[in-house]
Amino acid sequence: MQIALAPMEGLVDEILRELLTEVGGVDWCVSEFVRVCDRLLPLANFRKLAPELDSGWRTASGTPLRVQLLGSDPACLADNAAFAASLGASVVDLNFGCPAKTVNKSRGGAVLLKEPELLHAIAREVSATLPAGVPLTAKMRLGYDSPDGALDCARALVDGGASMLVVHARTKVDGYKPPAHWEWVARVQEAVKVPVYANGEIWTVDDWRRCREVSGVDNIMLGRGLVSRPDLARQIAAASAGREPEPLSWGELQPLLQLFWRKARQKLAPRYAPGRLKQWLAMLTRSYPEAQALFDSIRRDNDCARLDALFGLRAGELSQPAVEAIPA
């Protein structure tokens, strides 16, 4: 079984990728999407969204990172995929799952599921351009407003050259509303001869067990569930190996929160760092009641100096590398 960390624009950036993969259980992760329009992008665009390219396309824990591209022009996507490969990317992923209105209006993400012929053309062009040994993968939803075309889209991508699919088991119109239709993952796996990963509504070990039973697939991709419960991948990996999962307590999560804040202060402008902290805390409230109290206490506080004191960050430490250990 493989467990992947999902790409989530504006949420799972390099900071959270590093921390969540350090906790354990994640086999590989994916960058936020690199938007491709009508030109070959410069190195700076890739480095901004996937700075791990400077460390062998791996997080600090050694977890491999795949680069994800989003766009609708087959030739332009192929050129940028080849450039990413020249930078050392070992896998290139295509985004056909983003439900954002701004993305869909510019013919990117889930809206392309209306055009399986275009999906095939994109996959064929990109896979033909990538060097040998650099596989193409893709992430898709079940469709735009109906899952009726899901199998056609999956076949189009695989016939075009995709060697693996992640299926977010909802349509674009569904957004993130439960339930996730895991039974469609089973249908996709029956329709294609490449590995299929199930994605959507896996918040707990019990959810994973139900997903595996309904979808029939072993491989999963975790998104909001892992952000909300940072040791979820580790718990699932333990359960899969026949061990009893040992959930991370709120007390054990504190070093992770401190490390997050330190890295946010090192890498983000002061006006952005508090917002990113609150964003993650809001997600953690789903799994930790204590996170709600902490969130409420800093909800209106954007003073980085006060937050530094709250998280034990002393003046002059921002230039020093983070050293807090992640609970084993």
Side-chain angles (χ1 to χ4, degrees), residues 7 46 53 98 103 106 119 130 142 184 236 244 268 278 323:
F46 289 88
L53 68 86
C98 181
V103 170
S106 59
L119 298 187
L130 286 173
L142 296 178
W184 274 94
I236 291 173
E244 185 67 27
L268 301 175
K278 295 171 193 177
V323 296

Side-chain angles (χ1 to χ4, degrees), residues 52-53 56-58 65 67 81-92 134:
E52 293 95 335
L53 68 86
W57 292 88
R58 290 178 178 271
L65 174 75
V67 63
F83 181 54
S86 76
L87 297 175
S90 59
V91 181
V92 172
V134 179

Side-chain angles (χ1 to χ4, degrees), residues 9 14 37 41 61 82 87 93 108 155 165 210 223 248 255 257 274 278 290:
E9 186 195 16
E14 60 173 305
C37 295
L41 298 172
S61 68
L87 297 175
D93 188 66
R155 293 189 190 101
L165 296 178
R210 288 192 296 271
L248 198 67
L257 280 168
K278 295 171 193 177
E290 300 92 337

Side-chain angles (χ1 to χ4, degrees), residues 57-315:
W57 292 88
R58 290 178 178 271
T59 67
S61 68
T63 304
L65 174 75
R66 303 181 179 187
V67 63
Q68 185 179 81
L69 305 181
L70 177 145
S72 58
D73 184 300
C76 198
L77 282 165
D79 289 343
N80 281 276
F83 181 54
S86 76
L87 297 175
S90 59
V91 181
V92 172
D93 188 66
L94 296 175
N95 181 320
F96 301 112
C98 181
K101 290 181 179 179
T102 54
V103 170
N104 289 177
K105 284 182 179 178
S106 59
R107 297 194 75 214
V111 72
L112 297 184
L113 296 170
K114 295 179 177 181
E115 306 177 64
E117 298 85 359
L118 179 56
L119 298 187
H120 181 268
I122 291 172
R124 182 185 61 209
E125 189 81 15
V126 174
S127 62
T129 305
L130 286 173
V134 179
L136 173 69
T137 63
K139 187 169 190 280
M140 58 174 280
R141 283 180 174 249
L142 296 178
Y144 188 82
D145 53 11
S146 166
D148 293 345
L151 304 186
D152 289 336
C153 289
R155 293 189 190 101
L157 289 168
V158 172
D159 290 347
S163 62
M164 189 211 80
L165 296 178
V166 174
V167 177
H168 184 149
R170 285 180 275 230
T171 66
K172 184 274 180 193
V173 172
D174 289 336
Y176 294 95
K177 294 180 296 187
H181 304 285
W182 297 325
E183 67 276 8
W184 274 94
V185 178
R187 296 185 63 180
V188 171
Q189 183 63 90
E190 290 175 359
V192 298
K193 298 185 182 301
V194 301
V196 173
Y197 283 60
N199 173 231
E201 288 302 304
I202 302 175
W203 300 93
T204 66
V205 173
D206 285 341
D207 290 338
W208 161 69
R209 291 191 176 104
R210 288 192 296 271
C211 176
R212 184 178 57 175
E213 180 180 357
V214 174
S215 70
V217 303
D218 292 323
N219 301 318
I220 58 172
M221 176 174 276
L222 302 175
R224 294 176 301 154
L226 186 55
V227 176
S228 301
R229 192 181 298 271
D231 64 332
L232 179 58
R234 194 170 73 184
Q235 288 189 43
I236 291 173
S240 178
R243 303 190 305 272
E244 185 67 27
E246 298 181 4
L248 198 67
S249 70
W250 176 247
E252 292 170 324
L253 185 61
Q254 298 313 296
L256 207 62
L257 280 168
Q258 293 171 345
L259 189 53
F260 177 90
W261 178 244
R262 174 176 287 185
K263 289 183 175 295
R265 292 284 278 124
Q266 289 172 335
K267 297 179 179 181
L268 301 175
R271 61 175 175 166
Y272 296 123
R276 295 308 301 271
L277 173 65
K278 295 171 193 177
Q279 180 189 40
W280 190 29
L281 272 177
M283 298 288 288
L284 289 172
T285 60
R286 183 181 180 108
S287 303
Y288 296 94
E290 300 92 337
Q292 186 67 60
L294 179 55
F295 177 80
D296 291 341
S297 71
I298 67 170
R299 183 193 297 268
R300 294 178 176 82
D301 196 343
N302 292 310
D303 188 310
C304 286
R306 284 197 294 268
L307 293 172
D308 288 346
L310 178 64
F311 287 99
L313 186 61
R314 296 184 297 274

